Amino acid sequence: MTTFALNNLWAYLQGLMLSQSDREWLVGKLSEPVEAPSATETEIVSQTLKELVIPDKLRRKRGCIKLTEEDLRDEHIQYLLNR
């Protein structure tokens, strides 16, 4: 997620009227470790992305997007740009 998205999420969470038990539940969820995808899952996603067919209508739109400096720092966008 970008810094902008994280800041918006934080502002949203701060605006919620959470009880103490709700806050403790949220802390527990945020503290859980994230499972890394298995090699098989990664291979499936990679293969699926290679098999994607981009419609001509979208292919003609290439170059129409404007990225900010913050967008360019996003790891997902960097990955897509390096493909």
Side-chain angles (χ1 to χ4, degrees):
M1 290 181 84
T2 64
T3 303
F4 180 75
L6 287 172
N7 284 333
N8 282 339
L9 176 60
W10 180 244
Y12 170 76
L13 291 172
Q14 286 179 314
L16 296 175
M17 300 303 253
L18 299 176
S19 66
Q20 187 61 33
S21 64
D22 290 339
R23 288 175 186 235
E24 290 169 4
W25 176 87
L26 184 57
V27 167
K29 286 295 185 183
L30 292 174
S31 301
E32 289 178 1
V34 177
E35 293 180 21
S38 67
T40 306
E41 290 173 340
T42 304
E43 291 169 4
I44 291 170
V45 170
S46 179
Q47 187 62 32
T48 303
L49 289 174
K50 289 178 185 175
E51 293 172 358
L52 284 177
V53 176
I54 301 172
D56 288 338
K57 184 176 181 179
L58 291 178
R59 198 177 294 277
R60 289 190 300 266
K61 297 283 186 182
R62 284 173 37 176
C64 295
I65 190 169
K66 303 290 186 227
L67 297 173
T68 65
E69 286 186 31
E70 183 177 343
D71 293 332
L72 294 174
R73 287 191 292 269
D74 183 85
E75 63 187 35
H76 301 294
I77 292 175
Q78 286 178 5
Y79 171 79
L80 292 172
L81 291 174
N82 290 324
R83 289 193 48 96

